Amino acid sequence: MTEQDPRRKIRRLNLAGLAVTVLLVGGVGGWAATTQLAGAVIAPGTIVVESSVKKVQHPTGGVVGEILVKEGDEVEAGQIVLRLDDTVTKATLGVVRSQLDWPSATTLMSSCFRRS
């Protein structure tokens, strides 16, 4: 058995792929160009809304703390319909504040140690 040059194998595979692509595109293109369309189906239609229910979703999620409307109530644009529970938000705010306070606290401590 003789070893073939890998470039030659790759070139053969590229040519085979190109030939298959040309035949496929040419075949589909030729079929599309020569095929006659018999016609289209035209029918009247109407669109009916099944319900007027709107999905309400908060972008970041959360726990509902209070619902201010009842089913069947009519609401106006801008009217508050529910309030989210702010327990998780307040806890997260406390963590972020402590992270923001840490650099200033370390600066203050280092300046106190330098003075003594």
Side-chain angles (χ1 to χ4, degrees):
M1 270 185 142
T2 61
E3 291 185 34
Q4 291 183 348
D5 184 23
R7 290 183 206 157
R8 189 171 179 182
K9 285 182 180 180
I10 292 172
R11 191 175 306 123
R12 265 195 218 159
L13 289 173
N14 283 340
L15 287 174
L18 181 63
V20 168
T21 303
V22 167
L23 287 173
L24 184 64
V25 169
V28 171
W31 172 79
T34 58
T35 300
Q36 297 288 329
L37 291 179
V41 177
I42 299 172
T46 57
I47 298 175
V48 179
V49 178
E50 287 185 23
S51 69
S52 60
V53 176
K54 303 287 183 203
K55 184 182 278 190
V56 178
Q57 189 171 5
H58 190 268
T60 58
V63 177
V64 175
E66 182 181 9
I67 299 176
L68 303 174
V69 294
K70 296 189 178 12
E71 188 173 344
D73 288 353
E74 289 188 17
V75 294
E76 297 176 7
Q79 180 181 347
I80 297 174
V81 293
L82 63 89
R83 292 189 202 285
L84 295 176
D85 186 24
D86 61 352
T87 306
V88 175
T89 306
K90 285 182 180 178
T92 306
L93 178 62
V95 170
V96 170
R97 278 189 178 160
S98 68
Q99 290 173 348
L100 290 174
D101 290 341
W102 177 253
S104 61
T106 55
T107 305
L108 181 63
M109 285 191 316
S110 65
S111 67
C112 288
F113 286 127
R114 274 187 255 148
R115 287 184 189 163
S116 58

